[in-house]
Amino acid sequence: MAPETPKYRRILLKVSGETLAGDKKFGLCPDTLKAIAREIKEVVDLKVEVGIVVGGGNIFRGLAVSAQGIERAVGDYMGMLATVINSLALQDVLEKTGVPTRVLSAIHMHEVAEPYIRRRAMRHLEKGRALIFAAGTGSPYFTTDTAAALRATEIGAQALLKGTKVAGIFDRDPEKDAAACMLPRLTYFDILEKDLRVMDSTAVTMSREQKIPIIVFKLLEPGNMKRVVLGQEVGTIVES
Ligand code: UDP
């Protein structure tokens, strides 16, 4: 059989907290974590360098608590800490799956994670370690989507993969409308102009400026992440 040649040699995968929760509304689903780890391993086995940004929405969202009277910035720091919890869980499962992994946190907490230092991140990637970037950007008022676009830019990722629960970007919400159609190809401008809420506008704008394609795909479909990395048509690709 001919060897499989990846289209992308270095990628950044964004996984939302909601995905990590599986069918539950809150917390972590162990089977989902294992399934995600298997997807990542398939790609690491192709010698693709992988950075991962995990969200925290399955535990905590700054905006939600600010509505309850906690100051927004405080809520955001709480949200960033939630991403660290998710990062540690994913690291544990990845290592048990056979993927050497480092967690690099934008908020320094030496006992649980290395501090995020770009040059160190690059060295880890060259050594074949998967990286989990925890604590978002380290600043309130941002999201982990923006952290994903930022880290993708910093590490020179050739694609930003947004793993979701649905197959790609649709013209309408596929969970509410069975007639919704998936859109295989979009421009950054389409997303911004039509206000398609797949990623926040800061993340889309940054990806557009850096010319990093965004691929929105169903993460929990076995083999899907590998298909994306091999350049096969999966989900929706957003580019210029
Ligand atoms: N957050 C933040 N700065 C960042 C990234 C995240 O303040 O750079 C906070 C924010 O409160 C956010 C929460 O962390 O609501 C969890 O992240 P996000 O909502 O992006 O997670 P996801 O929706 O991907 O699970």
Side-chain angles (χ1 to χ4, degrees), residues 2-227:
E4 295 172 304
T5 311
K7 179 175 178 188
Y8 307 111
R9 292 274 165 200
R10 182 176 289 169
I11 57 153
L12 192 296
L13 171 70
K14 162 72 207 292
V15 187
S16 69
E18 195 192 4
T19 305
L20 298 177
D23 291 334
K24 299 186 288 180
K25 287 238 178 312
F26 183 85
L28 292 161
C29 168
D31 288 340
T32 302
L33 280 168
K34 282 184 204 150
I36 294 172
R38 282 195 296 271
E39 290 298 299
I40 294 170
K41 182 165 192 314
E42 279 194 352
V43 168
V44 170
D45 286 346
L46 291 173
K47 304 261 179 287
V48 171
E49 295 173 358
V50 180
I52 305 156
V53 168
V54 289
N58 55 323
I59 302 175
F60 215 89
R61 274 212 176 89
L63 208 52
V65 291
S66 70
Q68 295 162 19
I70 290 184
E71 197 184 327
R72 168 74 192 267
V74 176
D76 281 342
Y77 279 113
M78 294 163 81
M80 285 185 266
L81 296 180
T83 73
V84 180
I85 294 175
N86 286 336
S87 298
L88 295 178
L90 185 59
Q91 177 182 35
D92 188 70
V93 179
L94 273 172
E95 295 221 311
K96 285 182 179 135
T97 312
V99 179
T101 308
R102 297 288 184 273
V103 177
L104 306 183
S105 176
I107 294 176
H108 294 189
M109 43 181 95
H110 299 279
E111 284 76 8
V112 293
E114 291 182 22
Y116 172 70
I117 298 168
R118 181 180 165 273
R119 288 172 67 97
R120 192 182 282 185
M122 302 302 274
R123 191 87 189 99
H124 282 315
L125 286 173
E126 285 158 16
K127 287 186 175 174
R129 295 168 185 147
L131 294 185
I132 304 176
F133 300 110
T137 61
S139 297
Y141 301 99
F142 286 103
T143 66
T144 50
D145 280 355
T146 299
L150 175 64
R151 296 292 183 244
T153 302
E154 287 182 277
I155 66 169
Q158 294 162 334
L160 170 49
L161 276 60
K162 169 127 181 170
T164 64
K165 285 184 165 179
V166 290
I169 304 177
F170 288 74
D171 56 353
R172 279 158 285 174
D173 186 345
E175 289 181 348
K176 290 186 187 144
D177 190 340
C181 291
M182 199 186 82
L183 308 164
R185 213 160 264 279
L186 288 170
T187 65
Y188 305 104
F189 189 69
D190 289 331
I191 307 267
L192 296 169
E193 188 201 36
K194 295 184 184 129
D195 199 19
L196 297 169
R197 292 170 189 272
V198 276
M199 267 202 151
D200 70 71
S201 56
T202 314
V204 176
T205 303
M206 186 157 194
S207 304
R208 178 170 70 168
E209 279 169 8
Q210 301 301 327
K211 299 187 176 58
I212 301 174
I214 303 170
I215 298 143
V216 181
F217 70 107
K218 189 172 186 177
L219 181 58
L220 292 167
E221 182 84 34
N224 240 10
M225 186 168 162
K226 182 174 173 179
R227 285 191 276 277

